[in-house]
Amino acid sequence: LGVSEINQNTWDDLEALLVQADLGIETSTDVIRALKQVVVENGLTRSEELSQVLKQELLNRLLPIPEPVLPDQKPLVILMVGVNGSGKTTTAAKLGKQFANQGKKVLLAAADTYRAAAVDQLQVWGERLNLPVVAGQPGGDPGAVAFDAIQSAAARGFDYVIVDTAGRLHTRYNLMEELKKVYRVSGKALSGAPHAVWLVLDATTGQNALQQAKAFKEAVQVTGIILSKLDSSARGGMAFAIQKTLGLPILYAGLGEKPEDLEHFDREAFVNGIFHN
Amino acid sequence: MFDNLSGRFNEIFQQLRRRGKLSEADVDAVLREVRLALLEADVHYSVVKSFVTRVRERAVGHEVSKALNPAQQVIKIVHEELINTLGEPDRLNLSGPKPRVVMMVGLQGAGKTTATAKLAKILRSQGERVLLVAADPYRPAAVKQLQTLGQQIGVDVYTREGVKPPDLAAQAFDMAQKSGVSAMVIDTAGRSQLDDALMQELQAIARRVPVNETLLTVDSMIGQEALHIAEGFRDSVKLTGLVLTKMDGDSRGGAAISIRSVTGVPIKYLGTGEGLDALESFDPRRLASRILGM
Ligand SMILES: Nc1nc2c(ncn2[C@@H]2O[C@H](COP(=O)(O)OP(=O)(O)OP(=O)(O)O)[C@@H](O)[C@H]2O)c(=O)[nH]1
Ligand SMILES: Nc1nc2c(ncn2[C@@H]2O[C@H](COP(=O)(O)OP(=O)(O)OP(=O)(O)O)[C@@H](O)[C@H]2O)c(=O)[nH]1
Ligand SMILES: [K+]
Ligand SMILES: [Mg+2]
Ligand SMILES: [Mg+2]
């Protein structure tokens, strides 16, 4: 936003900025409408006064969640879900490392028995991070892997079980049914499980992200979002529509491929990233 | 979403019934909706802008045909322009001395490794002798993933632990040449266009082996950044084609327009599933309708 009088150009530039950050035209229009009101109410005339107002407006649209609120359960079961390639397996490993650093005993469950070498991928992470992995046979039943992992974690006094599931497009009926089964079977292994269902969304995703979040929430009661690949040049603006429409908190940001590249979602940093990238 | 948009267009169709030449008002009424449809499909903001301007220029003053009402006429022009932008589906360029080399590049998780195996399967069915090259030493079990897929389709996979991708590609090429391989597909690691070291690695591979085709593999669910990402890859390596993956979902795939507009490289394949047969050539008409949401 340049340094000048606020005029139609200012609003056009603002729309360009927001749409290009993947907020979508609907949310962008909504944000601009809100800003126009602030401008009138506060008698603002200079475009440089807008930046602060815009920043605040965007911040207001994101839930302040400094730490994910997790129930006091042992073991606590977290189910990782999402479309193909979004970053589930890597994020599962990163989370495992974070919890282990807090002194917790973490078990990883490789319940992606479908994709080539998905189990190997999680096992490599397990070796690198020194975390045990329960794995099934390629082509085996993912529900059974989750079940075994949860039972064995309960028996061996683990604090966390992180269940990695296969990527699936939210439009694939059978695969979503399979995921529901993993969810149900987890509850059979341990009443109340899974205690958290985290949807891993690739921050480079555009408007389809909302459909993804809707479908996964409907299928398996997603409780929070992890925005992966925020280190990319994309800005992840679809988070606003997801927050608004589904009320789901953004819990973590994935910021790279290394195990330490996971941070609690920081609204300020996220909103700043929309301005300067 | 789809019904919605068709509905919106229909409403405009109802309103505009006049015959004769298309007026500015006719055209603008339709183009407002077209603009929204393209933005909702993730076509880049700037690309939408120039596209709408282009259509407007072409449409205003255009004779309304007998069979169509003014709105339908504008939509027809929009559709034609979209199809022109998308271009014809293009085949792989497999000319020149053997082995011919195809290199897959793109962001993390886009679908490169899967597309590598799918492509190998197609090439082999066309009678090529194919070798896959596992040039992703970074992602955990990336090599194993390609080996597993290679096994499933019965195609050899070249791997060497601890060898850097440019050296690995050169070694694989030597071996391929000696053993009568006619096509070699290199699977590279996912990378950001902003990662200088990794972009230089791609350049180094291209210096070591004669690359026929460098295919940018892009997730069809990608948003506005598709444009800058494609520009970034184009500026580092000579892109020759685009593979748009995960088209079996309900993404509209507007990135195809953005990428095509800025790089001019043809769309060569669509990925339409996780299975190794799910690689198709594309129909510009169908893709244009999908992007428009009609
Ligand atoms: N730059 C970046 N890359 C990431 C991030 N998270 C994951 N990746 C990369 O994205 C690619 C896909 O990650 P995976 O963890 O395999 O994704 P997934 O969702 O498990 O994939 P499927 O199981 O095949 O559906 C890998 O190359 C990861 O290294 C991130 O936060 N930043
Ligand atoms: N539904 C669907 N899934 C696909 C398609 N292409 C690839 N996938 C899936 O997307 C995920 C990522 O695919 P990969 O081939 O591992 O992607 P990649 O680009 O090699 O990932 P990195 O090497 O980590 O950068 C896997 O779960 C694939 O099965 C497709 O066309 N449709
Ligand atoms: K970013
Ligand atoms: Mg995975
Ligand atoms: Mg790969």
Side-chain angles (χ1 to χ4, degrees), chain B:
Chain B
M1 174 81 83
F2 282 31
D3 291 346
N4 248 344
L5 267 162
S6 298
R8 248 150 62 185
F9 286 133
N10 275 333
E11 226 168 84
I12 304 171
F13 295 165
Q14 303 297 320
Q15 287 161 15
L16 303 175
R17 295 209 168 279
R18 226 171 19 77
R19 300 279 167 201
K21 284 193 175 24
L22 287 172
S23 72
E24 291 196 13
D26 292 340
V27 173
D28 286 342
V30 179
L31 286 185
R32 261 195 298 280
E33 296 298 326
V34 167
R35 177 177 181 270
L36 290 181
L38 294 177
L39 289 175
E40 280 166 9
D42 298 311
V43 181
H44 190 266
Y45 193 81
S46 64
V47 173
V48 172
K49 205 167 182 172
S50 55
F51 181 83
V52 167
T53 308
R54 203 160 70 235
V55 171
R56 194 169 187 279
E57 269 164 21
R58 224 191 107 183
V60 173
H62 198 280
E63 202 66 46
V64 178
S65 80
K66 290 240 163 6
L68 302 172
N69 70 32
Q72 286 169 326
Q73 185 77 38
V74 181
I75 294 291
K76 183 164 173 275
I77 295 171
V78 168
H79 214 245
E80 281 168 13
E81 279 293 326
L82 274 180
I83 291 167
N84 282 343
T85 310
L86 288 171
E88 288 301 313
D90 202 356
R91 313 182 98 231
L92 279 189
N93 162 24
L94 292 179
S95 56
K98 294 177 184 177
R100 290 92 182 224
V101 178
V102 180
M103 176 164 75
M104 310 298 287
V105 303
L107 294 186
Q108 292 91 347
K112 294 173 295 300
T113 305
T114 310
T116 301
K118 290 174 177 179
L119 195 53
K121 195 165 180 205
I122 290 180
L123 290 173
R124 211 209 21 207
S125 75
Q126 293 169 350
E128 303 284 340
R129 275 200 58 193
V130 187
L131 178 68
L132 294 179
V133 183
D136 176 0
Y138 313 111
R139 167 176 164 169
V143 172
K144 184 76 189 294
Q145 184 186 359
L146 193 64
Q147 282 175 319
T148 307
L149 296 175
Q151 224 158 41
Q152 283 173 18
I153 55 176
V155 169
D156 286 342
V157 180
Y158 190 88
T159 71
R160 285 292 177 278
E161 214 168 310
V163 178
K164 295 211 165 66
D167 296 330
L168 182 88
Q171 289 175 13
F173 187 81
D174 277 348
M175 196 201 89
Q177 227 171 4
K178 281 180 197 128
S179 57
V181 164
S182 62
M184 179 173 125
V185 190
I186 307 175
D187 178 32
T188 67
R191 68 200 70 215
S192 158
Q193 82 284 6
L194 303 177
D195 188 328
D196 285 335
L198 282 183
M199 293 312 279
Q200 280 168 25
E201 179 188 81
L202 293 181
Q203 294 166 354
I205 295 174
R207 277 195 304 272
R208 300 292 299 278
V209 297
V211 178
N212 275 54
E213 289 271 3
T214 303
L215 301 183
L216 179 64
T217 308
V218 177
D219 185 327
S220 63
M221 297 179 277
I222 195 169
Q224 295 275 316
E225 267 303 290
L227 179 124
H228 296 128
I229 290 160
E231 280 177 342
F233 275 92
R234 174 209 56 195
D235 292 346
S236 292
V237 289
K238 191 178 151 286
L239 294 180
T240 59
L242 176 66
V243 180
L244 210 58
T245 65
K246 308 179 199 174
M247 286 292 285
D248 43 325
D250 60 357
S251 65
R252 301 257 295 279
I257 298 279
S258 308
I259 297 174
R260 199 39 208 173
S261 298
V262 299
T263 65
V265 298
I267 303 169
K268 297 222 164 154
Y269 293 102
L270 302 183
T272 55
E274 292 188 76
L276 297 182
D277 290 317
L279 193 67
E280 302 174 4
S281 88
F282 87 110
D283 173 0
R285 235 156 231 295
R286 268 178 55 196
L287 187 51
S289 297
R290 176 168 173 159
I291 290 171
L292 268 182
M294 298 188 74

Side-chain angles (χ1 to χ4, degrees), chain A residues 54-69:
Chain A
L54 171 60
K55 200 174 149 185
Q56 196 52 52
E57 173 64 27
L58 293 177
L59 284 175
N60 291 345
R61 287 166 183 258
L62 295 168
L63 286 177
I65 301 275
E67 294 269 329
V69 187

